[in-house]
Amino acid sequence: MTLTAALAAVDPAELVALTRDLIRLPSVIRPGDPTATEARVAEHVERWLAKEGFEVAVQQVAPGRPNILATLDGEPGLRTLLLEGHTDVVTEGDPRAWSHPPFGADLVEGRIYGRGAADMKGGLAAAMVAAAAIKRSGARFQGRLVVGALVDEEGDMLGVRHLCGTPEGRALTAAIICEPEQNELCLEQRGVVWARVTARGRMAHGAMPEAGANPIAALGALLRETPALERQLRRLCARSRHLRPPTVTPTIVQAPVLGAPQANVIPGTAQATLDIRLTPGPDEGAVRAEIDAACRRAMAAVPGVTLEWQPANGYRLATRVEPSEALVQAMVAAVGQATGRRPRFGGVPGSTDGTILRMELGIPIVTCGPGARLIPHQVDEYVEVQELVEAARIYVASSLNYLAGNEP
Ligand SMILES: [Zn+2]
């Protein structure tokens, strides 16, 4: 009864309108431009949720960059579920490359177009409308439902890191990450480490290389080591049905690190970044040991140069939750209730805010949201309206199923 009424309270027209409104408020972060933040979207989210009667908290993460958290309390209970979205979007690139204006939110043949349509203003709107449907229908549940619209997912994940340090974060017992995964239930996410390797040698004249030690040669040796590093990480990581195996991809090579490059000068330092993707298995120490070993082998090949590396953005290890988790069971049942079909399972190719929630708080997370998996960050990004509505219904049923239980 409760569930039927709550599902019926999901209003597709309202969901489409809200998604379009959010897309029309650009939230590309442009460093150096203090007005180019999530502020306007966050304000819209805050007002919309407050108007619906939610208790809304604003966490200032950085100037103009607030997390918005809306809560709805049921009867006393031990569970607190977060429906998680982020308010920032990546750059639209060259707007002339788009056939629909990137912030126009065109609605054409059942698709909404625009930067963030899938990643992830659509998913955020679906979470908001789902929570509102539960509230309006008066559905009964135990514990607390939270909608979180966090900042900076596409950057350093400052929003979720901030949340994890607050009482609101520590009270969470599970989270649904509403990222675009074509409404598949993703119990696994790949991890990432950006290994920024600095080579330090000795500056010298290019005509007299014997007088110096060339850090670029050491980076060359390191690049030759990457296939071996990749093989080693694949050995350590679990094989996964839903995730591609680990990869090691050089993405930045830079020399000199400071100052102007000059054709006849061997620079003192050089830097390379390896984009390392992981599947579940090894812990931080095991990953570190493999990267250390690759650096040592490269160093041995070029005497006089030292290699040091840092994880440029910390360790975001791969995550996995067990199918036996209460959250997973709640969502498996919910897909049937909300859509009449059996759940499809998938895996998240990159890391999400859920990675940080899983690593910092240890809570179960499932990533599931509207939008084709490959569409984020592309031109002519879109979300299917039908998938959007389905997501909102899945969130309603998942929330009520999970919050019907009362074990922590
Ligand atoms: Zn995203």
Side-chain angles (χ1 to χ4, degrees):
M1 259 322 272
T2 284
L3 176 60
T4 314
L7 287 174
V10 171
D11 178 350
E14 179 183 44
L15 175 51
V16 167
L18 177 58
T19 301
R20 298 178 77 192
D21 286 347
L22 295 180
I23 293 169
R24 288 183 186 125
L25 297 169
S27 50
V28 178
I29 310 306
R30 304 190 200 274
D33 179 353
T35 65
T37 67
E38 300 92 341
R40 288 169 69 209
V41 179
E43 197 184 315
H44 191 87
V45 169
E46 180 192 352
R47 259 186 302 177
W48 194 96
L49 290 163
K51 186 166 63 65
E52 287 297 315
F54 288 90
E55 194 76 43
V56 182
V58 179
Q59 300 182 332
Q60 283 303 334
V61 176
R65 311 193 67 183
N67 285 343
I68 307 297
L69 295 169
T71 56
L72 179 63
D73 282 320
E75 288 150 32
L78 296 175
R79 291 182 173 177
T80 298
L81 175 66
L82 172 67
L83 300 177
E84 196 268 354
H86 60 82
T87 44
D88 58 326
V89 296
V90 296
T91 177
E92 72 281 24
D94 179 358
R96 288 166 306 183
W98 290 63
S99 43
H100 300 275
F103 303 105
D106 286 358
L107 174 58
V108 183
E109 290 173 359
R111 290 178 171 181
I112 303 170
Y113 288 87
R115 177 54 81 229
D119 189 11
M120 58 169 292
K121 288 172 171 172
L124 175 58
M128 292 163 68
V129 165
I134 290 172
K135 186 167 193 308
R136 291 176 195 166
S137 72
R140 297 176 60 162
F141 63 91
Q142 293 172 303
R144 172 175 281 185
L145 179 63
V146 181
V147 177
L150 311 184
V151 296
D152 196 42
E153 194 271 350
E154 304 287 1
D156 297 338
M157 301 188 167
L158 296 176
V160 69
R161 290 179 200 276
H162 181 95
L163 173 64
C164 287
T166 63
E168 290 90 339
R170 286 191 290 269
L172 299 173
T173 59
I176 299 173
I177 313 303
C178 307
E179 291 272 3
E181 299 297 339
Q182 42 213 31
N183 287 343
E184 294 174 359
L185 302 184
C186 300
L187 311 191
E188 296 180 334
Q189 308 185 120
R190 270 171 121 208
V192 58
V193 177
W194 287 301
R196 189 192 292 139
V197 184
T198 304
R200 288 192 179 79
R202 200 167 57 252
M203 238 177 134
H205 197 300
M208 291 160 282
E210 66 279 9
N214 194 341
I216 297 172
L219 288 189
L222 179 72
L223 298 183
R224 284 192 295 281
E225 285 295 330
T226 56
L229 175 58
E230 187 176 89
R231 274 196 304 277
Q232 199 50 34
L233 291 171
R234 286 182 182 200
R235 223 164 277 152
L236 289 178
C237 288
R239 275 181 165 278
S240 161
R241 268 184 62 193
H242 299 292
L243 301 177
R244 303 183 59 137
T247 45
V248 178
T249 308
T251 49
I252 305 174
V253 175
Q254 196 189 356
V257 176
L258 292 171
Q262 213 168 310
N264 59 355
V265 177
I266 296 172
T269 54
Q271 223 167 48
T273 299
L274 305 178
D275 179 320
I276 301 174
R277 303 286 163 162
L278 302 161
T279 54
D283 62 12
E284 200 175 296
V287 174
R288 188 191 309 125
E290 292 304 331
I291 303 171
D292 283 348
C295 286
R296 273 199 307 274
R297 291 193 298 270
M299 240 184 328
V302 184
V305 179
T306 58
L307 288 182
E308 265 172 19
W309 75 277
Q310 301 285 334
N313 224 313
Y315 290 82
R316 298 182 195 167
L317 296 178
T319 65
R320 174 168 55 201
V321 296
E322 295 303 323
S324 57
E325 280 284 354
L327 175 66
V328 178
Q329 311 244 304
M331 294 189 74
V332 166
V335 171
Q337 293 158 336
T339 72
R341 63 166 172 80
R342 292 160 63 86
R344 293 187 306 263
F345 290 87
V348 182
S351 67
T352 68
D353 279 344
T355 305
I356 308 296
L357 293 170
R358 181 82 177 134
M359 288 181 64
E360 299 278 315
L361 303 174
I363 60 171
I365 57 145
V366 173
T367 308
C368 173
R373 181 170 294 128
L374 295 180
I375 202 71
H377 305 196
Q378 296 193 15
V379 299
D380 288 330
E381 179 180 344
Y382 67 87
V383 67
E384 302 268 0
V385 169
Q386 180 260 332
E387 222 172 271
L388 197 59
V389 175
E390 189 179 273
R393 293 171 57 88
I394 292 172
Y395 298 154
V396 166
S398 298
S399 302
L400 291 178
N401 290 348
Y402 177 73
L403 295 173
N406 211 7
E407 301 87 58

